[in-house]
Amino acid sequence: MVDSENSYGERVSRLVGWGHWFAFFNIIAAMLIGTRYIAASPWPDTLFGQIYLLSSWIGHFGFLVFALYLLVLFPLTFIVPSRKLFRLLAVCFATFGLTVLLIDTQAYQSINLHLSPVVWELLFNDESSPVSSDLQHLFIVLPPIFLVQLALSEWVWRKQRKLSHKHVGRPLAALFFVCFIASHLIFIWADAFFYNPITVQKANFPLSYPMTAKSFMEKHGLLDRDEYLKKLKENADGIDLVNYPLSEIEFNRRSENLNVLVVSINNLRSDMLSAETMPSSYAFALNNQNFINHYSSSNDDFGVFGLMYGLPSSYASSIKAQGSEPLFLSILKDQGYTFKLYSGDNFADDLYTETIFRKFPLVDLTKADRDSTSSLTTVSDSAAIEQWKADIEASSNKPWFSYVELTTVDNFNIYQPTAPNLSPEQQFISAYSAAATAADGEFAKILQTLVDQKLMDKTIIVLTSNHGTEFNETKTRSWGSNTNYSQYQLRVPMVIRWPGKLAADYTHMTSHLDLSVTLMQDLSGVSTNAKNYSSGRNLFDERKRKWVIAGDTRELALITDKDTTVVDKFGNYNLYDHNYNKLDDKNPKLPILMQGFTELQRFYAKSQ
């Protein structure tokens, strides 16, 4: 029997009414589950931040559940002929939605990420992981949720007329609508005026995309563009604040007061340290502490950031905005060290002048050269070394810290190969090797100066680089740096001459993040746990480590003895073997990824 138009209209009308109330009670259920996000996130310190949290909690879950109802269930009201079948479909859909939401809350509490296809695959493919086990246990609640939804469906169907007569539907709808609109308007203001207690909440809830309207506000005179750009550049309140260090630094002994010299031959890969290419540096490595399995913290110039701060590069923008200086340099300053900082390109990269050495005196080689020649303003590695030599010879008895950046290998293209009939690839490698040999000669001059000044036994000498370079060994058309996280772009020399320590080759995995910890502990006498001020550990700690971290603001690379995991800011990941061949049939280990994600968040302020 086919229903008449009136019976069809009545059926649809009642199902629409039922659907609204069924969606309402599921909004309440989603909000209750959503309190787990609030519990796992920092509680706002300000009243305005708390008001935003409350309004976004109500508005977001109200919008999310009702939007899913309108997109999925509401159209079915006009299609599904049976009332019971429609209600069963609604129950199944609600059960599935609340179960996924519950799983998402668990993932957020465990790894601070919301569910995505990539995260889902990662979490449930590693059955040995405790987090995966916990998540799979949540499926136990699926039958109870289904039964509760069945009971709710029947109860709403029976009580629908009574609920309608209470006339609370419109006030409740208005409440959800006002909270939704208010939360977005508040976030628009907070984003434009760098109100951190609100902007840090933008990813608290799943599928949350708060609105921004800086262009609209500027167009209507509500935002001063120049003032905004000034705040964007200078105001630390516009970025995530970093607690660096996490606790007060304590000391268990006095400093040794040895001089510290760090020589960075930029762009130098570790295998260039050979008797044929760099004889002076090779001999230096043989007779001192040579870390032959050492990785830079980045495949670009930000490797120096990790070297000096002991933190991953992802913290660089916050450190820059806050104006925080490298902790071990500030300790040396407090202990009476003087600073002598030189660069073959006059520190052309803003990373040095605006972040790392922002509060320390940089030697202006153009000025120094004008003073000596009255006309030339040439800047080069030789000029940097000559000025460093002159300053060392004239230095007082105070201990000093010196950083000398050699850029010869950066500019290897000026070296022409001497051998005939070389392919373009061979010419590239030959020119690079010639530049490394030239840089080795410059380093030899530095060592000779220390010998002449009788400073070898009074100076810790560190030879390293900011990052390596690749000659397309990965067969991915990668030449140079900043293209992947293979060992060719990350492995660099790390050789230390430390008076009183025996010469040795260290084969354990080490990182640029380890240098500052080593100097703070073994030179300055710091007793505070390294985890409170660095992501690294002492270079001389030979215990096996699970991974070292590298990357930038876009990507995270976790390097182990066997493989490398690269994760981008969207949660997409790739796994590579030791030779950087992509492993499509394997997934990264969840505990390693979780530790990496934690390390990228550990120094951010927990509350604002």
Side-chain angles (χ1 to χ4, degrees):
M1 178 177 177
V2 180
D3 289 336
S4 66
E5 182 176 349
N6 287 338
S7 62
Y8 172 79
E10 289 174 359
R11 184 175 70 249
V12 168
S13 176
R14 187 169 183 191
L15 285 178
V16 168
W18 175 89
H20 282 71
W21 284 108
F22 186 72
F24 166 73
F25 286 109
N26 273 283
I27 288 173
I28 301 302
M31 288 174 58
L32 292 175
I33 295 174
T35 57
R36 302 187 78 199
Y37 298 110
I38 298 175
S41 304
W43 182 255
D45 282 345
T46 66
L47 178 61
F48 203 26
Q50 295 165 9
I51 292 173
Y52 172 78
L53 177 60
L54 179 63
S55 62
S56 63
W57 173 59
I58 297 173
H60 180 70
F61 286 104
F63 171 81
L64 185 63
V65 175
F66 194 69
L68 289 174
Y69 163 74
L70 289 179
L71 291 173
V72 178
L73 296 181
F74 183 71
L76 294 179
T77 308
F78 302 92
I79 300 173
V80 178
S82 170
R83 299 172 180 178
K84 291 184 177 180
L85 178 59
F86 172 77
R87 286 164 51 194
L88 179 62
L89 291 175
V91 165
C92 292
F93 181 71
T95 301
F96 173 77
L98 292 182
T99 303
V100 171
L101 182 64
L102 195 60
I103 294 172
D104 186 75
T105 62
Q106 188 69 22
Y108 185 79
Q109 288 184 335
S110 301
I111 60 176
N112 202 35
L113 289 175
H114 292 293
L115 286 180
S116 67
V118 172
V119 174
W120 183 281
E121 179 185 359
L122 179 63
L123 292 174
F124 289 102
N125 278 354
D126 188 358
E127 297 181 358
S128 62
S129 167
V131 177
S132 179
S133 299
D134 290 341
L135 287 169
Q136 291 178 15
H137 289 157
L138 288 178
F139 285 107
I140 298 174
V141 304
L142 193 149
I145 292 177
F146 179 75
L147 293 176
V148 171
Q149 290 289 338
L150 273 179
L152 175 65
S153 169
E154 183 64 24
W155 183 82
V156 171
W157 185 259
R158 293 177 181 274
K159 301 293 183 179
Q160 183 179 347
R161 295 187 184 278
K162 280 189 176 182
L163 291 172
S164 299
H165 290 156
K166 291 183 181 298
H167 302 293
V168 295
R170 290 185 179 180
L172 288 173
L175 173 66
F176 289 122
F177 178 77
V178 169
C179 287
F180 177 75
I181 296 299
S183 64
H184 283 276
L185 291 177
I186 293 172
F187 192 89
I188 288 172
W189 172 84
D191 178 64
F193 293 95
F194 301 91
Y195 192 70
N196 212 38
I198 289 176
T199 57
V200 295
Q201 300 182 46
K202 62 183 177 182
N204 280 8
F205 302 129
L207 301 176
S208 176
Y209 305 101
M211 287 190 296
T212 59
K214 291 186 283 289
S215 298
F216 176 84
M217 294 176 71
E218 180 188 353
K219 181 178 179 180
H220 290 81
L222 302 174
L223 179 67
D224 187 315
R225 180 177 179 82
D226 293 336
E227 184 67 20
Y228 173 81
L229 293 175
K230 181 180 178 181
K231 287 184 178 181
L232 182 64
K233 184 176 181 180
E234 299 178 358
N235 195 335
D237 291 337
I239 49 85
D240 293 326
L241 299 178
V242 173
N243 286 334
Y244 174 72
L246 294 174
S247 66
E248 185 178 351
I249 299 299
E250 298 178 350
F251 302 83
N252 60 0
R253 59 177 175 80
R254 296 186 61 183
S255 168
E256 292 187 46
N257 286 338
L258 293 171
N259 304 315
V260 180
L261 169 63
V262 178
V263 179
S264 175
I265 302 178
N266 286 359
N267 201 31
L268 182 67
R269 51 191 273 164
S270 60
D271 59 3
M272 287 292 105
L273 213 63
S274 64
E276 297 78 18
T277 306
M278 303 182 72
S280 297
S281 302
Y282 179 74
F284 179 74
L286 285 180
N287 296 312
N288 294 289
Q289 298 87 46
N290 185 17
F291 299 86
I292 61 179
N293 193 18
H294 186 83
Y295 289 80
S296 175
S297 54
S298 184
N299 61 0
D300 58 16
D301 292 342
F302 277 83
V304 182
F305 176 87
L307 187 74
M308 292 294 167
Y309 283 92
L311 299 176
S313 302
S314 58
Y315 291 102
S317 59
S318 294
I319 289 290
K320 175 183 176 181
Q322 290 178 216
S324 302
E325 59 193 45
L327 190 59
F328 89 94
L329 291 186
S330 64
I331 289 175
L332 293 181
K333 181 169 62 176
D334 292 341
Q335 293 177 338
Y337 278 69
T338 59
F339 292 84
K340 308 173 188 298
L341 312 171
Y342 311 81
S343 170
D345 64 5
N346 217 38
F347 293 113
D349 195 318
D350 291 342
L351 174 64
Y352 298 99
T353 56
E354 296 183 1
T355 307
I356 298 175
F357 298 138
R358 179 177 178 177
K359 298 182 180 180
F360 297 90
L362 302 178
V363 175
D364 186 351
L365 292 181
T366 58
K367 179 180 178 181
D369 202 45
R370 282 195 298 270
D371 290 344
S372 60
T373 65
S374 300
S375 59
L376 297 176
T377 57
T378 303
V379 176
S380 65
D381 287 352
S382 296
I385 293 171
E386 286 300 315
Q387 185 60 43
W388 173 82
K389 177 181 178 181
D391 291 344
I392 290 297
E393 291 174 349
S395 63
S396 63
N397 292 327
K398 280 188 174 183
W400 47 260
F401 171 88
S402 190
Y403 181 87
V404 180
E405 180 188 46
L406 302 181
T407 59
T408 298
V409 184
D410 272 336
N411 304 308
F412 68 89
N413 56 309
I414 66 174
Y415 291 85
Q416 297 299 321
T418 56
N421 302 321
L422 295 179
S423 67
E425 294 184 4
Q426 291 172 328
Q427 291 180 18
F428 183 94
I429 297 172
S430 178
Y432 182 87
S433 299
T437 301
D440 181 68
E442 302 292 356
F443 180 62
K445 294 178 185 177
I446 293 175
L447 295 179
Q448 189 59 50
T449 298
L450 294 174
V451 171
D452 294 342
Q453 297 300 312
K454 297 181 174 55
L455 292 173
M456 289 295 284
D457 293 332
K458 300 178 181 178
T459 305
I460 298 171
I461 307 170
V462 179
L463 173 63
T464 189
S465 181
N466 54 354
H467 59 79
T469 198
E470 184 181 348
F471 305 142
N472 197 32
E473 286 93 345
T474 59
K475 306 303 179 185
T476 56
R477 297 184 180 180
S478 293
W479 295 87
S481 60
N482 198 23
T483 56
N484 62 48
Y485 294 96
S486 65
Q487 58 177 312
Y488 311 105
Q489 298 190 33
L490 288 178
R491 285 186 62 174
V492 296
M494 174 56 74
V495 185
I496 300 179
R497 175 183 169 81
W498 196 302
K501 293 185 185 289
L502 298 176
D505 285 343
Y506 294 90
T507 60
H508 63 287
M509 186 180 291
T510 57
S511 164
H512 263 17
L513 306 179
D514 302 338
L515 179 66
S516 60
V517 174
T518 308
L519 292 173
M520 289 173 67
Q521 291 181 344
D522 294 0
L523 174 65
S524 299
V526 170
S527 60
T528 303
N529 192 316
K531 291 184 177 294
N532 289 336
Y533 56 83
S534 175
S535 296
R537 70 184 193 188
N538 197 301
L539 283 165
F540 297 101
D541 183 350
E542 297 185 61
R543 291 175 298 169
K544 181 179 176 62
R545 69 203 305 173
K546 295 180 180 179
W547 46 265
V548 294
I549 194 170
D552 53 25
T553 56
R554 298 173 292 110
E555 294 176 314
L556 163 70
L558 294 166
I559 302 102
T560 71
D561 290 331
K562 297 181 179 178
D563 52 44
T564 297
T565 303
V566 179
V567 187
D568 66 20
K569 62 182 180 180
F570 302 107
N572 303 308
Y573 65 86
N574 290 302
L575 188 66
Y576 303 88
D577 64 16
H578 186 66
N579 295 316
Y580 216 71
N581 297 311
K582 191 175 180 181
L583 301 173
D584 292 322
D585 57 339
K586 292 185 178 180
N587 291 313
K589 294 182 179 179
L590 181 59
I592 291 178
L593 272 184
M594 288 178 60
Q595 292 166 15
F597 289 139
T598 299
E599 202 58 45
L600 295 184
Q601 298 292 326
R602 196 162 59 85
F603 287 91
Y604 285 119
K606 299 302 180 185
S607 61
Q608 305 298 335

